[in-house]
Amino acid sequence: MEDSNLFPRFVLQLPPWIEQYMEDPHRTYETTEARMALAIRLSRLNVDEGTGGPFAAAVFDLSAKKLVAPGVNLVLHHNCSILHAEIVAIMLAQKVLGRHDLGADESRSFELVATTEPCAMCLGAVPWSGVTRLVCGARDEDARSIGFEEGSKTKNWVESLEERNITVVRDIQRQEARAVLRHYMETGGIIYNSRSQDLFRKRFSG
């Protein structure tokens, strides 16, 4: 039987500018603020380089205080609605470590840093990823304020994660993270996968 390629292959690849920016792969990030600063810088570069939305994330090894894998929003770059920054960072971290569960090695713990609180999809991915700590910059309402649809999330999502032994830290450099969201909107960034986009434009056009 002849081989047939009915469906295209999908290759996840970060934009080339990320490797150029990551000058020292052995650098340590000693504080939560330093780790968030890296993520926010990546989110702004993703906007300025035209490779995706105003969101970035990164998985860090908390024991070594080192970056395992960065992630930026690649929805538009790859024409794939699920490629949010958190998903990209988790996927790459699991590839780097060679396992689907980052929490499988109890001698190490991993942190997911996200420039904005996770949407409904990314929130669902957090417990399955194996991270033990989630750090957020901008809030859900900051993303919604420029028109992004974050999906349906329970009001007690923080408590739900903490019940699963995942520590949640919010509002780390929130103003800086929110500034990237505004920058994206002000420079004409596309507010993608939002069914309420037309309503949003009508509401704020006048």
Side-chain angles (χ1 to χ4, degrees), residues 18-53:
I18 288 187
E19 289 193 6
Q20 297 170 6
Y21 174 72
M22 306 298 294
E23 297 176 354
D24 182 5
H26 303 295
R27 175 183 170 182
T28 59
Y29 298 84
E30 297 292 338
T31 66
T32 301
E33 288 73 19
R35 297 191 288 273
M36 178 59 75
L38 171 65
I40 291 173
R41 178 61 177 156
L42 292 177
S43 69
R44 181 171 282 271
L45 285 169
N46 203 40
V47 174
D48 293 342
E49 294 288 339
T51 47

Side-chain angles (χ1 to χ4, degrees), residues 1-16:
M1 183 176 178
E2 294 184 2
D3 291 335
S4 62
N5 295 315
L6 295 177
F7 304 104
R9 293 183 179 181
F10 186 88
V11 178
L12 176 62
Q13 187 171 4
L14 290 172

Side-chain angles (χ1 to χ4, degrees), residues 32-33 36 40 135-138 169-174 176-177:
T32 301
E33 288 73 19
M36 178 59 75
I40 291 173
V135 177
C136 308
V169 182
R170 306 168 80 184
D171 297 336
I172 300 299
Q173 299 184 15
R174 180 182 179 184
E176 292 86 345

Side-chain angles (χ1 to χ4, degrees), residues 4 88 119 148 195 205:
S4 62
V88 173
C119 69
F148 279 105
R195 296 291 180 263
S205 61

Side-chain angles (χ1 to χ4, degrees), residues 156-174:
N156 65 334
W157 66 268
V158 172
E159 292 80 3
S160 296
L161 289 181
E162 292 184 337
E163 286 174 0
R164 302 186 69 157
N165 297 317
I166 299 172
T167 301
V168 180
V169 182
R170 306 168 80 184
D171 297 336
I172 300 299
Q173 299 184 15
R174 180 182 179 184

Side-chain angles (χ1 to χ4, degrees), residues 29 35 58-69 97 99 107-111:
Y29 298 84
R35 297 191 288 273
V59 173
F60 292 90
D61 182 334
L62 285 177
S63 302
K65 298 295 193 295
K66 288 186 177 181
L67 174 70
V68 178
L97 297 172
R99 59 176 183 266
S107 67
R108 303 169 70 184
S109 59
F110 296 90
E111 172 186 78

